[in-house]
């Protein structure tokens, strides 16, 4: 059931692959970067393998094994190995689906007309060291194959929906606050008007009283006694 296997930085046994068997027949991606590999002779038959990462090893030849045991290979990374001659790459002609080949930091890249020679030798190639024959850079990945495009679109859609919901919630909160402030303002004004009305009613009631009664009431409100009442008390 395993489709992807990464063994980077593990140590090979005497420069050969050990422990990898044809039981991994469903493998589509295999990475063995920097494992001190000298040869791929022990590579099992992997008919479904499409991408093989072998960078930063010490492979100098023996690539015919790849043609025999990984016939459907589309991407091969041999950068940082000991490949020196164009002829070393000739067995890769038997990989009809090989579209991408990386040879960074291999001595072969220093040869005159290196790129033209490789494209001529391997006409099925689309990209060499990340660029096509017209020096156009290869895309980082295929969104349709990886499914990344759909995930990104889905995530972006979710984010947009969330943003809209947040904005709507904020607007609703602002509306509620404004409504509360308006109601508070109305209530305060009504209370002030009621208090003013009570004061006016008391003043009108006082105006209807005779002068003496009105003065007496004012004195009572201020906590003083009427002088006339004091005189009456003295006479008594």
């Amino acid at each position: 059931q395993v489709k992807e296997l990464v063994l980077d930085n593990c140590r090979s046994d005497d420069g050969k692959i050990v422990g990898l068997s044809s039981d991994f027949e469903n493998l589509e991606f295999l990475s063995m970067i920097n494992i001190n590999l000298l040869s791929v002779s022990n590579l099992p038959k992997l008919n479904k393998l499409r991408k093989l990462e072998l960078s930063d090893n010490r492979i100098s030849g023996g690539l015919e094994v790849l043609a025999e045991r990984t016939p459907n290979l589309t991407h091969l990374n041999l950068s940082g190995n000991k490949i020196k001659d164009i002829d070393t790459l000739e067995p890769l002609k038997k990989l009809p689906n090989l579209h991408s080949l990386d040879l960074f930091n291999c001595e072969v890249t220093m040869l005159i007309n290196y790129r033209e020679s490789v494209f001529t030798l391997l006409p099925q190639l689309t990209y060499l060291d990340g660029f096509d024959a017209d020096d156009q850079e290869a895309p980082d990945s295929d969104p349709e194959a990886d499914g990344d495009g759909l995930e990104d679109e889905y995530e972006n859609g979710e984010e947009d929906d969330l943003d809209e919901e947040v904005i709507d919630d904020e607007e609703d909160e602002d509306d509620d606050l404004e409504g509360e402030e308006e109601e508070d303002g109305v209530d305060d004004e009504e209370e002030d008007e009621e208090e003013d009305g009570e004061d006016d009613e008391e003043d009108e009631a006082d105006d209807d009283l005779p002068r003496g009664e009105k003065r007496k009431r004012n004195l009572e409100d201020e906590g003083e006694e009427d002088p006339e009442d004091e005189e009456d008390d003295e006479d008594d």
Side-chain angles (χ1 to χ4, degrees):
Q1 299 299 324
V2 179
K3 292 185 178 181
E4 296 186 6
L5 183 61
V6 178
L7 301 173
D8 299 349
N9 301 313
C10 296
R11 285 303 167 199
S12 59
D13 186 0
D14 196 24
K16 295 181 180 181
I17 302 169
V18 176
L20 191 62
S21 69
S22 57
D23 291 340
F24 292 88
E25 58 182 8
N26 291 318
L27 269 185
E28 295 178 6
F29 175 83
L30 176 60
S31 183
M32 296 185 289
I33 298 173
N34 188 33
I35 64 171
N36 200 33
L37 199 61
L38 292 170
S39 170
V40 291
S41 60
N42 284 8
L43 190 68
K45 185 77 170 180
L46 301 171
N47 286 326
K48 295 183 180 180
L49 193 68
R50 293 169 56 83
K51 296 183 180 181
L52 180 59
E53 293 279 345
L54 296 171
S55 59
D56 299 327
N57 285 292
R58 295 190 293 162
I59 298 169
S60 59
L63 300 183
E64 60 275 359
V65 174
L66 298 179
E68 295 171 4
R69 302 177 188 176
T70 58
N72 293 305
L73 206 61
T74 61
H75 294 70
L76 177 60
N77 190 342
L78 290 169
S79 58
N81 279 277
K82 304 297 182 180
I83 297 171
K84 300 178 181 180
D85 304 314
I86 296 292
D87 293 341
T88 306
L89 303 172
E90 190 166 356
L92 300 181
K93 291 170 64 176
K94 296 180 181 180
L95 291 171
N97 299 316
L98 186 64
H99 298 314
S100 177
L101 175 64
D102 286 328
L103 297 168
F104 286 117
N105 295 324
C106 291
E107 291 185 39
V108 68
T109 62
M110 305 301 292
L111 297 176
I112 298 174
N113 298 325
Y114 151 70
R115 289 181 59 80
E116 292 81 355
S117 300
V118 174
F119 276 117
T120 300
L121 177 67
L122 305 173
Q124 77 272 34
L125 277 186
T126 302
Y127 298 105
L128 176 62
D129 302 334
F131 292 85
D132 64 15
D134 297 324
D135 290 332
Q136 296 296 316
E137 189 172 5
D140 291 336
S141 62
D142 183 354
E144 293 182 0
D146 297 340
D148 295 339
L150 293 175
E151 291 178 3
D152 293 342
E153 183 178 349
Y154 178 72
E155 290 174 359
N156 291 336
E158 279 191 344
E159 289 176 0
D160 293 340
D161 292 342
L162 289 175
D163 291 341
E164 290 177 1
E165 290 177 3
V166 171
I167 291 172
D168 291 342
D169 292 343
E170 291 178 352
E171 289 177 353
D172 292 342
E173 289 178 2
D174 292 341
D175 292 341
D176 293 342
L177 289 174
E178 289 177 2
E180 290 177 1
E181 290 176 358
E182 290 178 358
E183 290 178 1
D184 292 344
V186 171
D187 293 342
D188 293 342
E189 289 177 1
E190 289 178 354
E191 289 178 1
D192 292 341
E193 288 176 359
E194 289 177 0
E195 291 178 359
D196 292 341
E198 291 176 358
D199 293 340
D200 292 342
E201 289 177 1
E202 290 179 0
D203 291 342
E204 289 175 0
D206 291 344
D207 290 341
D208 293 339
L209 294 173
R211 288 187 63 190
E213 290 295 329
K214 182 177 180 181
R215 179 172 180 273
K216 185 174 182 181
R217 174 171 286 190
N218 289 338
L219 288 173
E220 288 175 354
D221 292 341
E222 292 175 2
E224 298 180 4
E225 294 184 357
D226 189 342
E228 293 180 359
D229 293 341
E230 291 179 0
E231 290 176 1
D232 292 341
D233 293 340
E234 288 177 0
D235 293 338
D236 294 341

PDB file of all heavy atoms in Angstrom, residues 207-229:
ATOM      1  N   ASP A 207     -47.884  79.576  42.597  1.00  0.00           N
ATOM      2  CA  ASP A 207     -48.363  80.860  42.074  1.00  0.00           C
ATOM      3  C   ASP A 207     -49.841  81.066  42.374  1.00  0.00           C
ATOM      4  O   ASP A 207     -50.316  82.210  42.546  1.00  0.00           O
ATOM      5  CB  ASP A 207     -48.151  80.919  40.558  1.00  0.00           C
ATOM      6  CG  ASP A 207     -46.664  81.035  40.234  1.00  0.00           C
ATOM      7  OD1 ASP A 207     -45.892  81.425  41.141  1.00  0.00           O
ATOM      8  OD2 ASP A 207     -46.271  80.715  39.080  1.00  0.00           O
ATOM      9  N   ASP A 208     -50.626  80.013  42.483  1.00  0.00           N
ATOM     10  CA  ASP A 208     -52.065  80.136  42.742  1.00  0.00           C
ATOM     11  C   ASP A 208     -52.356  80.492  44.199  1.00  0.00           C
ATOM     12  O   ASP A 208     -53.459  80.934  44.538  1.00  0.00           O
ATOM     13  CB  ASP A 208     -52.761  78.808  42.399  1.00  0.00           C
ATOM     14  CG  ASP A 208     -52.698  78.547  40.905  1.00  0.00           C
ATOM     15  OD1 ASP A 208     -52.502  79.535  40.153  1.00  0.00           O
ATOM     16  OD2 ASP A 208     -52.841  77.362  40.493  1.00  0.00           O
ATOM     17  N   LEU A 209     -51.401  80.277  45.112  1.00  0.00           N
ATOM     18  CA  LEU A 209     -51.614  80.566  46.532  1.00  0.00           C
ATOM     19  C   LEU A 209     -51.545  82.068  46.792  1.00  0.00           C
ATOM     20  O   LEU A 209     -50.860  82.798  46.077  1.00  0.00           O
ATOM     21  CB  LEU A 209     -50.555  79.855  47.372  1.00  0.00           C
ATOM     22  CG  LEU A 209     -50.605  78.324  47.361  1.00  0.00           C
ATOM     23  CD1 LEU A 209     -49.373  77.779  48.109  1.00  0.00           C
ATOM     24  CD2 LEU A 209     -51.872  77.808  48.037  1.00  0.00           C
ATOM     25  N   PRO A 210     -52.221  82.549  47.873  1.00  0.00           N
ATOM     26  CA  PRO A 210     -52.058  83.978  48.284  1.00  0.00           C
ATOM     27  C   PRO A 210     -50.621  84.234  48.680  1.00  0.00           C
ATOM     28  O   PRO A 210     -49.873  83.312  48.971  1.00  0.00           O
ATOM     29  CB  PRO A 210     -52.999  84.089  49.489  1.00  0.00           C
ATOM     30  CG  PRO A 210     -53.952  82.953  49.341  1.00  0.00           C
ATOM     31  CD  PRO A 210     -53.233  81.858  48.657  1.00  0.00           C
ATOM     32  N   ARG A 211     -50.255  85.526  48.708  1.00  0.00           N
ATOM     33  CA  ARG A 211     -48.852  85.869  48.961  1.00  0.00           C
ATOM     34  C   ARG A 211     -48.377  85.339  50.292  1.00  0.00           C
ATOM     35  O   ARG A 211     -47.283  84.845  50.426  1.00  0.00           O
ATOM     36  CB  ARG A 211     -48.682  87.384  48.909  1.00  0.00           C
ATOM     37  CG  ARG A 211     -48.777  87.940  47.497  1.00  0.00           C
ATOM     38  CD  ARG A 211     -48.423  89.407  47.483  1.00  0.00           C
ATOM     39  NE  ARG A 211     -47.059  89.601  47.905  1.00  0.00           N
ATOM     40  CZ  ARG A 211     -46.526  90.796  48.185  1.00  0.00           C
ATOM     41  NH1 ARG A 211     -47.264  91.898  48.121  1.00  0.00           N
ATOM     42  NH2 ARG A 211     -45.268  90.883  48.565  1.00  0.00           N
ATOM     43  N   GLY A 212     -49.243  85.447  51.325  1.00  0.00           N
ATOM     44  CA  GLY A 212     -48.825  85.009  52.650  1.00  0.00           C
ATOM     45  C   GLY A 212     -48.611  83.518  52.698  1.00  0.00           C
ATOM     46  O   GLY A 212     -47.645  83.027  53.269  1.00  0.00           O
ATOM     47  N   GLU A 213     -49.560  82.783  52.111  1.00  0.00           N
ATOM     48  CA  GLU A 213     -49.438  81.345  52.103  1.00  0.00           C
ATOM     49  C   GLU A 213     -48.206  80.892  51.329  1.00  0.00           C
ATOM     50  O   GLU A 213     -47.498  79.972  51.701  1.00  0.00           O
ATOM     51  CB  GLU A 213     -50.689  80.716  51.475  1.00  0.00           C
ATOM     52  CG  GLU A 213     -51.934  80.839  52.316  1.00  0.00           C
ATOM     53  CD  GLU A 213     -51.820  80.062  53.604  1.00  0.00           C
ATOM     54  OE1 GLU A 213     -51.129  79.028  53.612  1.00  0.00           O
ATOM     55  OE2 GLU A 213     -52.401  80.475  54.620  1.00  0.00           O
ATOM     56  N   LYS A 214     -47.986  81.595  50.201  1.00  0.00           N
ATOM     57  CA  LYS A 214     -46.827  81.256  49.375  1.00  0.00           C
ATOM     58  C   LYS A 214     -45.533  81.503  50.122  1.00  0.00           C
ATOM     59  O   LYS A 214     -44.617  80.675  50.116  1.00  0.00           O
ATOM     60  CB  LYS A 214     -46.869  82.095  48.098  1.00  0.00           C
ATOM     61  CG  LYS A 214     -45.731  81.792  47.147  1.00  0.00           C
ATOM     62  CD  LYS A 214     -45.908  82.611  45.884  1.00  0.00           C
ATOM     63  CE  LYS A 214     -44.759  82.304  44.924  1.00  0.00           C
ATOM     64  NZ  LYS A 214     -44.873  83.106  43.673  1.00  0.00           N
ATOM     65  N   ARG A 215     -45.456  82.657  50.872  1.00  0.00           N
ATOM     66  CA  ARG A 215     -44.235  82.961  51.628  1.00  0.00           C
ATOM     67  C   ARG A 215     -44.042  81.956  52.743  1.00  0.00           C
ATOM     68  O   ARG A 215     -42.942  81.488  53.018  1.00  0.00           O
ATOM     69  CB  ARG A 215     -44.356  84.381  52.202  1.00  0.00           C
ATOM     70  CG  ARG A 215     -43.148  84.821  53.033  1.00  0.00           C
ATOM     71  CD  ARG A 215     -43.274  86.290  53.396  1.00  0.00           C
ATOM     72  NE  ARG A 215     -42.131  86.695  54.173  1.00  0.00           N
ATOM     73  CZ  ARG A 215     -42.088  86.566  55.509  1.00  0.00           C
ATOM     74  NH1 ARG A 215     -43.095  86.033  56.166  1.00  0.00           N
ATOM     75  NH2 ARG A 215     -41.006  86.965  56.179  1.00  0.00           N
ATOM     76  N   LYS A 216     -45.184  81.571  53.373  1.00  0.00           N
ATOM     77  CA  LYS A 216     -45.109  80.611  54.464  1.00  0.00           C
ATOM     78  C   LYS A 216     -44.591  79.272  53.966  1.00  0.00           C
ATOM     79  O   LYS A 216     -43.759  78.630  54.589  1.00  0.00           O
ATOM     80  CB  LYS A 216     -46.490  80.460  55.093  1.00  0.00           C
ATOM     81  CG  LYS A 216     -46.495  79.565  56.327  1.00  0.00           C
ATOM     82  CD  LYS A 216     -47.859  79.584  56.962  1.00  0.00           C
ATOM     83  CE  LYS A 216     -47.840  78.719  58.230  1.00  0.00           C
ATOM     84  NZ  LYS A 216     -49.176  78.699  58.885  1.00  0.00           N
ATOM     85  N   ARG A 217     -45.103  78.880  52.826  1.00  0.00           N
ATOM     86  CA  ARG A 217     -44.643  77.599  52.275  1.00  0.00           C
ATOM     87  C   ARG A 217     -43.166  77.642  51.941  1.00  0.00           C
ATOM     88  O   ARG A 217     -42.436  76.692  52.185  1.00  0.00           O
ATOM     89  CB  ARG A 217     -45.441  77.253  51.023  1.00  0.00           C
ATOM     90  CG  ARG A 217     -44.924  76.014  50.315  1.00  0.00           C
ATOM     91  CD  ARG A 217     -45.842  75.574  49.219  1.00  0.00           C
ATOM     92  NE  ARG A 217     -47.039  74.951  49.801  1.00  0.00           N
ATOM     93  CZ  ARG A 217     -47.965  74.270  49.090  1.00  0.00           C
ATOM     94  NH1 ARG A 217     -47.820  74.151  47.791  1.00  0.00           N
ATOM     95  NH2 ARG A 217     -49.017  73.733  49.670  1.00  0.00           N
ATOM     96  N   ASN A 218     -42.718  78.777  51.402  1.00  0.00           N
ATOM     97  CA  ASN A 218     -41.296  78.892  51.062  1.00  0.00           C
ATOM     98  C   ASN A 218     -40.442  78.803  52.300  1.00  0.00           C
ATOM     99  O   ASN A 218     -39.378  78.186  52.305  1.00  0.00           O
ATOM    100  CB  ASN A 218     -41.034  80.213  50.350  1.00  0.00           C
ATOM    101  CG  ASN A 218     -41.623  80.227  48.943  1.00  0.00           C
ATOM    102  OD1 ASN A 218     -41.851  79.161  48.372  1.00  0.00           O
ATOM    103  ND2 ASN A 218     -41.883  81.416  48.416  1.00  0.00           N
ATOM    104  N   LEU A 219     -40.897  79.430  53.383  1.00  0.00           N
ATOM    105  CA  LEU A 219     -40.117  79.386  54.622  1.00  0.00           C
ATOM    106  C   LEU A 219     -40.087  77.964  55.172  1.00  0.00           C
ATOM    107  O   LEU A 219     -39.082  77.501  55.692  1.00  0.00           O
ATOM    108  CB  LEU A 219     -40.736  80.337  55.656  1.00  0.00           C
ATOM    109  CG  LEU A 219     -40.530  81.833  55.344  1.00  0.00           C
ATOM    110  CD1 LEU A 219     -41.320  82.692  56.340  1.00  0.00           C
ATOM    111  CD2 LEU A 219     -39.050  82.213  55.430  1.00  0.00           C
ATOM    112  N   GLU A 220     -41.243  77.296  55.109  1.00  0.00           N
ATOM    113  CA  GLU A 220     -41.276  75.910  55.581  1.00  0.00           C
ATOM    114  C   GLU A 220     -40.329  75.054  54.788  1.00  0.00           C
ATOM    115  O   GLU A 220     -39.633  74.183  55.316  1.00  0.00           O
ATOM    116  CB  GLU A 220     -42.703  75.370  55.460  1.00  0.00           C
ATOM    117  CG  GLU A 220     -43.647  75.980  56.484  1.00  0.00           C
ATOM    118  CD  GLU A 220     -45.065  75.510  56.267  1.00  0.00           C
ATOM    119  OE1 GLU A 220     -45.285  74.806  55.247  1.00  0.00           O
ATOM    120  OE2 GLU A 220     -45.944  75.799  57.094  1.00  0.00           O
ATOM    121  N   ASP A 221     -40.266  75.300  53.458  1.00  0.00           N
ATOM    122  CA  ASP A 221     -39.356  74.512  52.624  1.00  0.00           C
ATOM    123  C   ASP A 221     -37.921  74.774  53.000  1.00  0.00           C
ATOM    124  O   ASP A 221     -37.076  73.883  52.950  1.00  0.00           O
ATOM    125  CB  ASP A 221     -39.558  74.862  51.141  1.00  0.00           C
ATOM    126  CG  ASP A 221     -40.914  74.392  50.643  1.00  0.00           C
ATOM    127  OD1 ASP A 221     -41.489  73.507  51.317  1.00  0.00           O
ATOM    128  OD2 ASP A 221     -41.361  74.895  49.593  1.00  0.00           O
ATOM    129  N   GLU A 222     -37.637  76.022  53.446  1.00  0.00           N
ATOM    130  CA  GLU A 222     -36.242  76.337  53.796  1.00  0.00           C
ATOM    131  C   GLU A 222     -35.930  75.997  55.244  1.00  0.00           C
ATOM    132  O   GLU A 222     -34.802  76.141  55.689  1.00  0.00           O
ATOM    133  CB  GLU A 222     -36.004  77.828  53.583  1.00  0.00           C
ATOM    134  CG  GLU A 222     -36.054  78.225  52.104  1.00  0.00           C
ATOM    135  CD  GLU A 222     -35.942  79.730  51.921  1.00  0.00           C
ATOM    136  OE1 GLU A 222     -35.787  80.423  52.957  1.00  0.00           O
ATOM    137  OE2 GLU A 222     -35.989  80.191  50.769  1.00  0.00           O
ATOM    138  N   GLY A 223     -36.922  75.563  55.995  1.00  0.00           N
ATOM    139  CA  GLY A 223     -36.687  75.155  57.388  1.00  0.00           C
ATOM    140  C   GLY A 223     -36.754  76.315  58.346  1.00  0.00           C
ATOM    141  O   GLY A 223     -36.316  76.201  59.477  1.00  0.00           O
ATOM    142  N   GLU A 224     -37.346  77.495  57.994  1.00  0.00           N
ATOM    143  CA  GLU A 224     -37.474  78.653  58.874  1.00  0.00           C
ATOM    144  C   GLU A 224     -38.932  78.807  59.313  1.00  0.00           C
ATOM    145  O   GLU A 224     -39.852  78.330  58.663  1.00  0.00           O
ATOM    146  CB  GLU A 224     -37.010  79.908  58.146  1.00  0.00           C
ATOM    147  CG  GLU A 224     -35.544  79.846  57.741  1.00  0.00           C
ATOM    148  CD  GLU A 224     -35.139  81.132  57.008  1.00  0.00           C
ATOM    149  OE1 GLU A 224     -35.995  82.037  56.924  1.00  0.00           O
ATOM    150  OE2 GLU A 224     -33.993  81.184  56.538  1.00  0.00           O
ATOM    151  N   GLU A 225     -39.113  79.517  60.418  1.00  0.00           N
ATOM    152  CA  GLU A 225     -40.468  79.765  60.887  1.00  0.00           C
ATOM    153  C   GLU A 225     -40.911  81.153  60.464  1.00  0.00           C
ATOM    154  O   GLU A 225     -40.105  82.050  60.269  1.00  0.00           O
ATOM    155  CB  GLU A 225     -40.532  79.658  62.409  1.00  0.00           C
ATOM    156  CG  GLU A 225     -40.253  78.251  62.905  1.00  0.00           C
ATOM    157  CD  GLU A 225     -40.435  78.172  64.415  1.00  0.00           C
ATOM    158  OE1 GLU A 225     -40.723  79.215  65.036  1.00  0.00           O
ATOM    159  OE2 GLU A 225     -40.290  77.065  64.938  1.00  0.00           O
ATOM    160  N   ASP A 226     -42.180  81.325  60.328  1.00  0.00           N
ATOM    161  CA  ASP A 226     -42.729  82.619  59.930  1.00  0.00           C
ATOM    162  C   ASP A 226     -42.646  83.569  61.104  1.00  0.00           C
ATOM    163  O   ASP A 226     -43.042  83.244  62.225  1.00  0.00           O
ATOM    164  CB  ASP A 226     -44.196  82.408  59.521  1.00  0.00           C
ATOM    165  CG  ASP A 226     -44.789  83.648  58.876  1.00  0.00           C
ATOM    166  OD1 ASP A 226     -44.219  84.719  59.061  1.00  0.00           O
ATOM    167  OD2 ASP A 226     -45.831  83.503  58.185  1.00  0.00           O
ATOM    168  N   PRO A 227     -42.136  84.791  60.947  1.00  0.00           N
ATOM    169  CA  PRO A 227     -42.048  85.772  62.065  1.00  0.00           C
ATOM    170  C   PRO A 227     -43.385  86.021  62.721  1.00  0.00           C
ATOM    171  O   PRO A 227     -43.476  86.234  63.928  1.00  0.00           O
ATOM    172  CB  PRO A 227     -41.521  87.033  61.384  1.00  0.00           C
ATOM    173  CG  PRO A 227     -40.774  86.521  60.193  1.00  0.00           C
ATOM    174  CD  PRO A 227     -41.523  85.314  59.754  1.00  0.00           C
ATOM    175  N   GLU A 228     -44.475  86.007  61.962  1.00  0.00           N
ATOM    176  CA  GLU A 228     -45.790  86.235  62.558  1.00  0.00           C
ATOM    177  C   GLU A 228     -46.108  85.156  63.547  1.00  0.00           C
ATOM    178  O   GLU A 228     -46.668  85.410  64.624  1.00  0.00           O
ATOM    179  CB  GLU A 228     -46.843  86.268  61.455  1.00  0.00           C
ATOM    180  CG  GLU A 228     -46.671  87.475  60.543  1.00  0.00           C
ATOM    181  CD  GLU A 228     -47.739  87.494  59.447  1.00  0.00           C
ATOM    182  OE1 GLU A 228     -48.559  86.534  59.437  1.00  0.00           O
ATOM    183  OE2 GLU A 228     -47.757  88.419  58.613  1.00  0.00           O
ATOM    184  N   ASP A 229     -45.740  83.891  63.206  1.00  0.00           N
ATOM    185  CA  ASP A 229     -45.990  82.793  64.146  1.00  0.00           C
ATOM    186  C   ASP A 229     -45.188  82.992  65.407  1.00  0.00           C
ATOM    187  O   ASP A 229     -45.638  82.703  66.515  1.00  0.00           O
ATOM    188  CB  ASP A 229     -45.636  81.455  63.492  1.00  0.00           C
ATOM    189  CG  ASP A 229     -46.580  81.148  62.343  1.00  0.00           C
ATOM    190  OD1 ASP A 229     -47.670  81.744  62.300  1.00  0.00           O
ATOM    191  OD2 ASP A 229     -46.195  80.286  61.491  1.00  0.00           O
TER     192      ASP A 229
END
